[in-house]
Amino acid sequence: MKTSLYDEHVRLKARIVDYAGYQMPLDYGSSISEHRSVRHAAGLFDVSHMGVLPVTGPEAGDFLARVLTNDPRPLAVGQILYSPLLDEDGAALDDLLVYRMGPDSYRLVVNAGNRQVDFEHLKKHAGPGAGLAGDFAPIAILALQGPVSERIVKMIFGEDLLLPGNYRFVQTQDSDGTQILISRTGYTGEDGFELFLPAASAPELWRKLLDVGSPLGLVPAGLAARDSLRMEAGLPLYGHELSRERTALDAGLARFVNLDREGFFGREALLAQRAAGQVRSRLALIATGRGLPRAGDQVFDGETRIGYVTSGGYSPTLDAGIALVSAEPGLRYAEGHELTIQGTRRPLAARVCPRPHYRRSRGG
Amino acid sequence: MSQRWYTREHEWVDVDGEDAVMGITDYAQQQLGEIVYVDLPEADDSFAAGEAVAALESVKTAADVYAPFDLTVTEVNTELLDAPELVNQDAEGAWLLKARITDPDSVAGLLTLEEYNALLAAAES
């Protein structure tokens, strides 16, 4: 499948890869320089492959409170929250954002690769009072991320537009009447926005953003930069930190799981995991040797295997290999502790560093 | 006067008598994507044909570079250790190592540019 921006990617000489069935840009020449642009200026991503699932009806809120670990009912219209999605046995099916569109109307934004599983799971459990739209509207999603994003959004939509705060959204129209939802969310560890609009209008907005933003340093950015940015920022990726095998607690998402709240899927399993002291610990590592950790590599403390890499790769900010590691329950290490990452090739020396690897300075 | 040959492992080799210089092809660097580490052997290291002599690690993946024949390394391009991006910028200019061919009989199966291009064309189709 192609998103409505496919021709733009080709025109910009993107390296195209198949991702969850979509032909998506991996990079536009250099993921490393795209990554740096997002940290210092801004990057524009096509994330139209994400799934959008509207949930509506008088019982939509109660339904979502039952299937999500994080209760969306307290949200005001215009607010957004993050939540893992677990099955009845506590296995993670996905992680997602919930947008409160109206009193009885929510919108879920889910991972591309999980949209079908999510939909079938939700459909199975939705009662008559919570309707799930069976068709995914042809929507485009653009992510504008980086410290100059706000200036660019203001240049496009006007200084008068009241911009949403973090995890909030506003709806507006552009000059030719296209409805656009502007949400202050992202997956890079930087300030930024995600823009939802009809697919047919997306190429024009994409070009306009690049025209207006490029003097400020805005560049198109692909999936490779998206992955290295989220990894540096310590943000979980479904299938890596969070999966059917690695629970929401293993993934470090306890603050999005209120175990004191009764009546949501997976609560008993997570309570049991916690009571048994079986929550895996998480480590951030930086390679001190030359080489890159890769997902699946084993991690050793001396001769003892203590865990494995859930995400690994090159960090342009630190100019080194970095890894997110899932380690045995209860393991704690002081910063600087030396470990060995063993992949399919030779061992790679690494040390424990503060989590996350990158945190943006605020108020700058 | 050296002649440039290519291998099925996407390397180029300049051979002049018993002296050889080698690197990876432009196709190989495109497939690897952005290279962030280049690991090189040391001078006087010896390798048999088919053994890994060097390794390249890119954002995407890691790949070995294989000895096209029996060789002893005479010099490595240390400039690449701090500037691995030179391989992406000019793969057919950025040599990895210079070597002495230790067994002329091990030199076999090298491809001309035409043959290498035909190999790529076949792989693409």
Side-chain angles (χ1 to χ4, degrees):
Chain A
M1 284 179 283
K2 292 172 180 176
T3 75
S4 59
L5 295 166
Y6 178 80
D7 291 344
E8 301 299 316
H9 306 322
V10 170
R11 200 171 51 80
L12 292 163
K13 300 190 166 45
R15 200 190 312 248
I16 302 285
V17 291
D18 180 273
Y19 184 80
Y22 284 86
Q23 300 294 301
M24 299 300 289
L26 181 67
D27 62 52
Y28 299 84
S30 167
S31 67
I32 296 173
S33 79
E34 291 158 26
H35 179 116
R36 295 202 169 112
S37 293
V38 172
R39 289 279 179 253
H40 301 123
L44 184 61
F45 301 81
D46 176 13
V47 292
S48 306
H49 58 305
M50 303 287 287
V52 177
L53 300 175
V55 182
T56 54
E59 285 162 32
D62 290 342
F63 164 65
L64 290 173
R66 194 153 53 88
V67 295
L68 300 177
T69 63
N70 205 356
D71 187 351
R73 289 171 299 189
L75 293 178
V77 173
Q79 275 189 313
I80 302 162
L81 69 71
Y82 170 83
S83 179
L85 174 71
L86 311 185
D87 70 9
E88 303 91 312
D89 301 324
L93 300 177
D94 202 357
D95 59 345
L96 50 80
L97 291 181
V98 188
Y99 288 64
R100 181 117 199 206
M101 308 302 293
D104 293 331
S105 172
Y106 298 82
R107 182 184 283 187
L108 308 181
V109 179
V110 306
N111 282 302
N114 296 335
R115 64 201 298 171
Q116 203 54 44
V117 167
D118 293 356
F119 180 73
E120 279 159 21
H121 171 77
L122 295 170
K123 193 80 193 166
K124 191 168 98 184
H125 296 286
L132 212 63
D135 215 351
F136 312 118
I139 257 181
I141 313 174
L142 278 56
L144 175 66
Q145 301 281 301
V148 303
S149 299
E150 181 174 314
R151 278 171 64 196
I152 296 169
V153 166
K154 283 187 167 166
M155 286 160 77
I156 298 270
F157 297 102
E159 292 285 337
D160 295 340
L161 179 69
L162 200 59
L163 289 175
N166 280 339
Y167 280 80
R168 289 173 183 273
F169 67 89
V170 295
Q171 303 203 63
T172 185
Q173 291 188 341
D174 77 359
S175 45
D176 46 10
T178 305
Q179 275 287 340
I180 300 181
L181 185 153
I182 303 176
S183 117
R184 197 151 205 161
T185 47
Y187 195 46
T188 59
E190 297 299 334
D191 185 21
F193 300 87
E194 289 175 302
L195 311 171
F196 295 69
L197 72 163
S201 307
E204 194 186 330
L205 180 62
W206 171 273
R207 288 192 293 264
K208 202 154 114 187
L209 283 162
L210 287 176
D211 281 349
V212 166
S214 59
L216 298 175
L218 174 67
V219 299
L223 291 180
R226 184 169 160 84
D227 190 48
S228 56
L229 287 157
R230 72 92 197 161
M231 194 164 58
E232 277 185 355
L235 300 170
L237 172 61
Y238 187 83
H240 289 253
E241 286 65 41
L242 181 71
S243 69
R244 285 181 189 264
E245 290 74 37
R246 290 182 283 290
T247 72
L249 300 181
D250 294 330
L253 301 175
R255 74 189 175 95
F256 305 102
V257 182
N258 180 2
L259 288 173
D260 295 334
R261 178 172 76 87
E262 292 185 8
F264 67 86
F265 284 4
R267 176 172 179 257
E268 288 68 29
L270 296 186
L271 279 171
Q273 186 192 14
R274 191 177 66 173
Q278 286 303 313
V279 177
R280 294 183 66 79
S281 81
R282 293 172 305 125
L283 306 174
L285 303 187
I286 180 165
T288 49
R290 294 163 51 82
L292 301 182
R294 306 283 180 181
D297 290 355
Q298 305 295 315
V299 180
F300 288 83
D301 183 7
E303 298 295 308
T304 312
R305 180 184 169 279
I306 57 105
Y308 53 88
V309 174
T310 54
S311 293
Y314 179 69
S315 161
T317 303
L318 301 173
D319 186 24
I322 59 171
L324 305 181
V325 170
S326 178
E328 296 300 316
L331 259 187
R332 296 283 180 280
Y333 287 116
E335 204 182 308
H337 188 88
E338 288 176 8
L339 297 171
T340 305
I341 298 169
Q342 182 66 60
T344 51
R345 307 166 66 81
R346 57 190 167 65
L348 177 63
R351 61 180 162 75
V352 175
C353 63
R355 266 199 343 255
H357 290 93
Y358 171 84
R359 199 190 296 273
R360 82 177 135 119
S361 54
R362 285 163 198 269
Chain B
M1 181 61 193
S2 71
Q3 183 177 350
R4 179 155 293 195
W5 299 91
Y6 296 84
T7 73
R8 293 178 183 277
E9 308 290 348
H10 306 288
E11 295 136 1
W12 57 260
V13 201
D14 289 341
V15 178
D16 180 8
E18 65 172 16
D19 295 325
V21 183
M22 65 180 292
I24 66 164
T25 65
D26 188 59
Y27 174 82
Q29 75 76 21
Q30 279 181 35
Q31 293 297 305
L32 278 172
E34 293 174 279
I35 297 164
V36 289
Y37 292 110
V38 174
D39 277 333
L40 298 171
E42 290 183 16
D44 297 332
D45 286 353
S46 291
F47 298 89
E51 284 188 321
V53 287
L56 302 171
E57 184 131 22
S58 73
V59 167
K60 207 162 59 169
T61 188
D64 284 324
V65 179
Y66 300 98
F69 31 66
D70 296 356
L71 60 82
T72 296
V73 176
T74 54
E75 190 182 345
V76 296
N77 187 355
T78 52
E79 193 186 2
L80 300 180
L81 298 177
D82 291 326
E85 66 276 11
L86 294 176
V87 180
N88 289 122
Q89 287 161 13
D90 178 18
E92 311 240 350
W95 59 280
L96 300 176
L97 57 93
K98 296 182 181 178
R100 189 162 40 79
I101 301 170
T102 49
D103 179 3
D105 292 342
S106 68
V107 182
L110 295 182
L111 309 173
T112 64
L113 178 60
E114 289 69 27
E115 288 166 338
Y116 180 65
N117 283 339
L119 183 81
L120 293 186
E124 293 286 299
S125 63

mmCIF file of all heavy atoms in Angstrom, chain A residues 15 26 29-32 289-292 294 314 319-321 345-346, chain B residues 30 33-34 36-39 55 57-64 81:
data_model
loop_
_atom_site.group_PDB
_atom_site.id
_atom_site.type_symbol
_atom_site.label_atom_id
_atom_site.label_comp_id
_atom_site.label_asym_id
_atom_site.label_seq_id
_atom_site.Cartn_x
_atom_site.Cartn_y
_atom_site.Cartn_z
ATOM 1 N N ARG A 15 14.680 6.520 0.143
ATOM 2 C CA ARG A 15 14.899 5.085 0.063
ATOM 3 C C ARG A 15 13.622 4.463 0.621
ATOM 4 O O ARG A 15 13.294 4.657 1.789
ATOM 5 C CB ARG A 15 16.101 4.738 0.935
ATOM 6 C CG ARG A 15 16.767 3.429 0.631
ATOM 7 C CD ARG A 15 17.774 3.085 1.707
ATOM 8 N NE ARG A 15 18.661 4.199 2.050
ATOM 9 C CZ ARG A 15 19.968 4.216 1.781
ATOM 10 N NH1 ARG A 15 20.525 3.218 1.167
ATOM 11 N NH2 ARG A 15 20.724 5.232 2.158
ATOM 12 N N LEU A 26 12.440 5.162 4.249
ATOM 13 C CA LEU A 26 13.369 4.791 5.318
ATOM 14 C C LEU A 26 14.237 6.011 5.659
ATOM 15 O O LEU A 26 14.441 6.349 6.817
ATOM 16 C CB LEU A 26 14.255 3.634 4.863
ATOM 17 C CG LEU A 26 15.269 3.133 5.889
ATOM 18 C CD1 LEU A 26 14.573 2.485 7.079
ATOM 19 C CD2 LEU A 26 16.249 2.158 5.258
ATOM 20 N N GLY A 29 18.273 9.967 2.193
ATOM 21 C CA GLY A 29 19.710 10.113 1.926
ATOM 22 C C GLY A 29 20.507 9.829 3.178
ATOM 23 O O GLY A 29 21.399 8.992 3.172
ATOM 24 N N SER A 30 20.170 10.494 4.276
ATOM 25 C CA SER A 30 20.928 10.294 5.509
ATOM 26 C C SER A 30 20.031 10.366 6.733
ATOM 27 O O SER A 30 19.592 11.447 7.129
ATOM 28 C CB SER A 30 22.030 11.346 5.623
ATOM 29 O OG SER A 30 22.562 11.324 6.939
ATOM 30 N N SER A 31 19.778 9.203 7.332
ATOM 31 C CA SER A 31 18.944 9.204 8.543
ATOM 32 C C SER A 31 19.666 9.918 9.687
ATOM 33 O O SER A 31 19.029 10.494 10.568
ATOM 34 C CB SER A 31 18.600 7.780 8.958
ATOM 35 O OG SER A 31 19.747 7.084 9.371
ATOM 36 N N ILE A 32 20.995 9.898 9.656
ATOM 37 C CA ILE A 32 21.747 10.540 10.733
ATOM 38 C C ILE A 32 21.560 12.052 10.679
ATOM 39 O O ILE A 32 21.314 12.703 11.700
ATOM 40 C CB ILE A 32 23.249 10.161 10.649
ATOM 41 C CG1 ILE A 32 23.417 8.644 10.881
ATOM 42 C CG2 ILE A 32 24.072 10.954 11.652
ATOM 43 C CD1 ILE A 32 24.826 8.128 10.650
ATOM 44 N N GLY A 289 32.739 0.102 22.976
ATOM 45 C CA GLY A 289 33.509 -0.432 21.854
ATOM 46 C C GLY A 289 32.913 0.065 20.545
ATOM 47 O O GLY A 289 31.864 0.700 20.522
ATOM 48 N N ARG A 290 33.625 -0.257 19.454
ATOM 49 C CA ARG A 290 33.147 0.138 18.134
ATOM 50 C C ARG A 290 32.166 -0.916 17.640
ATOM 51 O O ARG A 290 32.547 -2.062 17.444
ATOM 52 C CB ARG A 290 34.317 0.260 17.169
ATOM 53 C CG ARG A 290 35.281 1.383 17.523
ATOM 54 C CD ARG A 290 36.607 1.210 16.800
ATOM 55 N NE ARG A 290 36.438 1.005 15.378
ATOM 56 C CZ ARG A 290 36.251 1.986 14.493
ATOM 57 N NH1 ARG A 290 36.222 3.234 14.885
ATOM 58 N NH2 ARG A 290 36.104 1.723 13.216
ATOM 59 N N GLY A 291 30.943 -0.514 17.441
ATOM 60 C CA GLY A 291 29.953 -1.472 16.969
ATOM 61 C C GLY A 291 28.594 -1.067 17.477
ATOM 62 O O GLY A 291 28.480 -0.207 18.363
ATOM 63 N N LEU A 292 27.572 -1.671 16.902
ATOM 64 C CA LEU A 292 26.211 -1.293 17.274
ATOM 65 C C LEU A 292 25.471 -2.480 17.865
ATOM 66 O O LEU A 292 25.470 -3.565 17.290
ATOM 67 C CB LEU A 292 25.444 -0.788 16.046
ATOM 68 C CG LEU A 292 26.046 0.413 15.333
ATOM 69 C CD1 LEU A 292 25.144 0.829 14.179
ATOM 70 C CD2 LEU A 292 26.246 1.574 16.295
ATOM 71 N N ARG A 294 22.212 -4.681 18.573
ATOM 72 C CA ARG A 294 21.016 -4.906 17.747
ATOM 73 C C ARG A 294 19.985 -5.637 18.597
ATOM 74 O O ARG A 294 20.348 -6.437 19.474
ATOM 75 C CB ARG A 294 21.357 -5.778 16.534
ATOM 76 C CG ARG A 294 22.503 -5.280 15.677
ATOM 77 C CD ARG A 294 22.085 -4.125 14.788
ATOM 78 N NE ARG A 294 23.224 -3.669 13.976
ATOM 79 C CZ ARG A 294 23.156 -2.666 13.125
ATOM 80 N NH1 ARG A 294 22.026 -1.990 12.948
ATOM 81 N NH2 ARG A 294 24.209 -2.289 12.437
ATOM 82 N N TYR A 314 22.492 2.993 16.359
ATOM 83 C CA TYR A 314 23.411 4.121 16.443
ATOM 84 C C TYR A 314 22.683 5.349 16.977
ATOM 85 O O TYR A 314 21.580 5.668 16.532
ATOM 86 C CB TYR A 314 23.967 4.412 15.045
ATOM 87 C CG TYR A 314 24.918 5.590 15.003
ATOM 88 C CD1 TYR A 314 26.170 5.512 15.611
ATOM 89 C CD2 TYR A 314 24.572 6.768 14.356
ATOM 90 C CE1 TYR A 314 27.046 6.585 15.572
ATOM 91 C CE2 TYR A 314 25.445 7.852 14.306
ATOM 92 C CZ TYR A 314 26.685 7.751 14.914
ATOM 93 O OH TYR A 314 27.546 8.815 14.876
ATOM 94 N N ASP A 319 26.855 9.830 19.346
ATOM 95 C CA ASP A 319 27.848 9.269 18.432
ATOM 96 C C ASP A 319 28.391 7.939 18.960
ATOM 97 O O ASP A 319 29.597 7.742 19.081
ATOM 98 C CB ASP A 319 28.992 10.259 18.167
ATOM 99 C CG ASP A 319 29.951 9.722 17.095
ATOM 100 O OD1 ASP A 319 29.517 8.886 16.277
ATOM 101 O OD2 ASP A 319 31.134 10.121 17.098
ATOM 102 N N ALA A 320 27.490 7.047 19.284
ATOM 103 C CA ALA A 320 27.871 5.733 19.810
ATOM 104 C C ALA A 320 26.693 4.786 19.633
ATOM 105 O O ALA A 320 25.560 5.231 19.413
ATOM 106 C CB ALA A 320 28.217 5.842 21.288
ATOM 107 N N GLY A 321 26.989 3.514 19.766
ATOM 108 C CA GLY A 321 25.921 2.536 19.784
ATOM 109 C C GLY A 321 25.185 2.618 21.111
ATOM 110 O O GLY A 321 25.805 2.831 22.152
ATOM 111 N N ARG A 345 27.978 -11.407 16.113
ATOM 112 C CA ARG A 345 29.379 -11.183 15.790
ATOM 113 C C ARG A 345 30.183 -11.166 17.089
ATOM 114 O O ARG A 345 29.832 -11.823 18.046
ATOM 115 C CB ARG A 345 29.513 -9.893 14.993
ATOM 116 C CG ARG A 345 28.572 -9.902 13.775
ATOM 117 C CD ARG A 345 28.446 -8.544 13.179
ATOM 118 N NE ARG A 345 29.708 -8.119 12.609
ATOM 119 C CZ ARG A 345 30.150 -8.480 11.418
ATOM 120 N NH1 ARG A 345 29.421 -9.264 10.679
ATOM 121 N NH2 ARG A 345 31.288 -8.044 10.960
ATOM 122 N N ARG A 346 31.217 -10.392 17.118
ATOM 123 C CA ARG A 346 32.065 -10.413 18.321
ATOM 124 C C ARG A 346 31.410 -9.600 19.450
ATOM 125 O O ARG A 346 30.520 -8.787 19.220
ATOM 126 C CB ARG A 346 33.450 -9.878 17.976
ATOM 127 C CG ARG A 346 33.446 -8.503 17.409
ATOM 128 C CD ARG A 346 34.835 -8.142 16.868
ATOM 129 N NE ARG A 346 34.770 -6.946 16.058
ATOM 130 C CZ ARG A 346 34.445 -5.753 16.527
ATOM 131 N NH1 ARG A 346 34.145 -5.601 17.783
ATOM 132 N NH2 ARG A 346 34.398 -4.711 15.729
ATOM 133 N N GLN B 30 25.377 1.288 -1.189
ATOM 134 C CA GLN B 30 23.948 1.650 -1.252
ATOM 135 C C GLN B 30 23.091 0.669 -0.462
ATOM 136 O O GLN B 30 22.145 1.058 0.214
ATOM 137 C CB GLN B 30 23.477 1.649 -2.708
ATOM 138 C CG GLN B 30 23.833 2.908 -3.474
ATOM 139 C CD GLN B 30 23.319 2.835 -4.895
ATOM 140 O OE1 GLN B 30 22.251 2.280 -5.148
ATOM 141 N NE2 GLN B 30 24.079 3.380 -5.824
ATOM 142 N N GLY B 33 23.611 1.242 3.329
ATOM 143 C CA GLY B 33 23.168 2.513 3.899
ATOM 144 C C GLY B 33 24.312 3.147 4.678
ATOM 145 O O GLY B 33 25.476 2.744 4.539
ATOM 146 N N GLU B 34 23.960 4.099 5.539
ATOM 147 C CA GLU B 34 24.992 4.897 6.202
ATOM 148 C C GLU B 34 25.902 4.068 7.089
ATOM 149 O O GLU B 34 25.457 3.474 8.068
ATOM 150 C CB GLU B 34 24.335 5.970 7.052
ATOM 151 C CG GLU B 34 23.633 6.990 6.219
ATOM 152 C CD GLU B 34 22.874 7.942 7.096
ATOM 153 O OE1 GLU B 34 21.755 7.575 7.516
ATOM 154 O OE2 GLU B 34 23.407 9.027 7.362
ATOM 155 N N VAL B 36 28.642 3.537 9.875
ATOM 156 C CA VAL B 36 29.100 4.265 11.065
ATOM 157 C C VAL B 36 30.383 3.690 11.672
ATOM 158 O O VAL B 36 31.057 4.374 12.439
ATOM 159 C CB VAL B 36 27.996 4.379 12.136
ATOM 160 C CG1 VAL B 36 26.929 5.341 11.666
ATOM 161 C CG2 VAL B 36 27.380 3.044 12.474
ATOM 162 N N TYR B 37 30.695 2.438 11.368
ATOM 163 C CA TYR B 37 31.973 1.880 11.824
ATOM 164 C C TYR B 37 32.610 1.063 10.713
ATOM 165 O O TYR B 37 31.931 0.328 10.013
ATOM 166 C CB TYR B 37 31.791 0.961 13.039
ATOM 167 C CG TYR B 37 31.373 1.687 14.279
ATOM 168 C CD1 TYR B 37 30.092 1.537 14.793
ATOM 169 C CD2 TYR B 37 32.267 2.542 14.936
ATOM 170 C CE1 TYR B 37 29.694 2.222 15.934
ATOM 171 C CE2 TYR B 37 31.876 3.232 16.070
ATOM 172 C CZ TYR B 37 30.598 3.068 16.570
ATOM 173 O OH TYR B 37 30.213 3.747 17.689
ATOM 174 N N VAL B 38 33.917 1.217 10.596
ATOM 175 C CA VAL B 38 34.701 0.371 9.704
ATOM 176 C C VAL B 38 35.727 -0.328 10.572
ATOM 177 O O VAL B 38 36.458 0.323 11.325
ATOM 178 C CB VAL B 38 35.408 1.221 8.622
ATOM 179 C CG1 VAL B 38 36.327 0.346 7.785
ATOM 180 C CG2 VAL B 38 34.390 1.927 7.745
ATOM 181 N N ASP B 39 35.733 -1.650 10.548
ATOM 182 C CA ASP B 39 36.733 -2.418 11.291
ATOM 183 C C ASP B 39 37.738 -2.991 10.313
ATOM 184 O O ASP B 39 37.354 -3.670 9.363
ATOM 185 C CB ASP B 39 36.077 -3.564 12.071
ATOM 186 C CG ASP B 39 35.524 -3.065 13.395
ATOM 187 O OD1 ASP B 39 36.070 -2.068 13.911
ATOM 188 O OD2 ASP B 39 34.556 -3.667 13.880
ATOM 189 N N ALA B 55 35.153 -5.469 8.412
ATOM 190 C CA ALA B 55 33.706 -5.447 8.636
ATOM 191 C C ALA B 55 33.226 -4.005 8.577
ATOM 192 O O ALA B 55 33.948 -3.079 8.963
ATOM 193 C CB ALA B 55 33.364 -6.069 9.981
ATOM 194 N N GLU B 57 29.866 -1.593 9.574
ATOM 195 C CA GLU B 57 28.598 -1.565 10.301
ATOM 196 C C GLU B 57 27.854 -0.304 9.909
ATOM 197 O O GLU B 57 28.377 0.804 10.021
ATOM 198 C CB GLU B 57 28.854 -1.596 11.811
ATOM 199 C CG GLU B 57 27.571 -1.673 12.601
ATOM 200 C CD GLU B 57 27.583 -2.757 13.680
ATOM 201 O OE1 GLU B 57 28.673 -3.170 14.095
ATOM 202 O OE2 GLU B 57 26.483 -3.167 14.094
ATOM 203 N N SER B 58 26.630 -0.492 9.430
ATOM 204 C CA SER B 58 25.818 0.657 9.036
ATOM 205 C C SER B 58 24.670 0.808 10.024
ATOM 206 O O SER B 58 24.446 -0.060 10.872
ATOM 207 C CB SER B 58 25.269 0.459 7.628
ATOM 208 O OG SER B 58 24.236 -0.504 7.638
ATOM 209 N N VAL B 59 23.958 1.916 9.900
ATOM 210 C CA VAL B 59 22.778 2.147 10.727
ATOM 211 C C VAL B 59 21.867 0.924 10.670
ATOM 212 O O VAL B 59 21.301 0.500 11.664
ATOM 213 C CB VAL B 59 22.038 3.411 10.230
ATOM 214 C CG1 VAL B 59 20.660 3.528 10.842
ATOM 215 C CG2 VAL B 59 22.875 4.657 10.530
ATOM 216 N N LYS B 60 21.780 0.339 9.491
ATOM 217 C CA LYS B 60 20.834 -0.740 9.235
ATOM 218 C C LYS B 60 21.366 -2.115 9.603
ATOM 219 O O LYS B 60 20.649 -2.938 10.144
ATOM 220 C CB LYS B 60 20.513 -0.704 7.729
ATOM 221 C CG LYS B 60 19.173 -1.239 7.324
ATOM 222 C CD LYS B 60 18.779 -0.757 5.931
ATOM 223 C CE LYS B 60 19.761 -1.152 4.842
ATOM 224 N NZ LYS B 60 19.246 -0.920 3.488
ATOM 225 N N THR B 61 22.626 -2.400 9.278
ATOM 226 C CA THR B 61 23.108 -3.768 9.393
ATOM 227 C C THR B 61 24.634 -3.810 9.456
ATOM 228 O O THR B 61 25.295 -2.786 9.359
ATOM 229 C CB THR B 61 22.594 -4.624 8.206
ATOM 230 O OG1 THR B 61 22.921 -5.990 8.434
ATOM 231 C CG2 THR B 61 23.190 -4.165 6.895
ATOM 232 N N ALA B 62 25.169 -5.005 9.641
ATOM 233 C CA ALA B 62 26.623 -5.184 9.649
ATOM 234 C C ALA B 62 26.984 -6.165 8.556
ATOM 235 O O ALA B 62 26.222 -7.084 8.261
ATOM 236 C CB ALA B 62 27.082 -5.715 11.004
ATOM 237 N N ALA B 63 28.138 -5.972 7.944
ATOM 238 C CA ALA B 63 28.534 -6.847 6.844
ATOM 239 C C ALA B 63 30.033 -7.063 6.865
ATOM 240 O O ALA B 63 30.799 -6.151 7.172
ATOM 241 C CB ALA B 63 28.118 -6.236 5.507
ATOM 242 N N ASP B 64 30.425 -8.299 6.544
ATOM 243 C CA ASP B 64 31.841 -8.609 6.443
ATOM 244 C C ASP B 64 32.334 -8.328 5.030
ATOM 245 O O ASP B 64 31.567 -8.367 4.066
ATOM 246 C CB ASP B 64 32.075 -10.098 6.751
ATOM 247 C CG ASP B 64 31.991 -10.364 8.255
ATOM 248 O OD1 ASP B 64 32.428 -9.495 9.033
ATOM 249 O OD2 ASP B 64 31.482 -11.438 8.631
ATOM 250 N N LEU B 81 38.617 4.984 9.873
ATOM 251 C CA LEU B 81 38.211 4.697 11.247
ATOM 252 C C LEU B 81 37.447 5.881 11.831
ATOM 253 O O LEU B 81 36.474 5.707 12.557
ATOM 254 C CB LEU B 81 39.435 4.363 12.107
ATOM 255 C CG LEU B 81 40.222 3.117 11.663
ATOM 256 C CD1 LEU B 81 41.450 2.927 12.545
ATOM 257 C CD2 LEU B 81 39.335 1.878 11.691
#
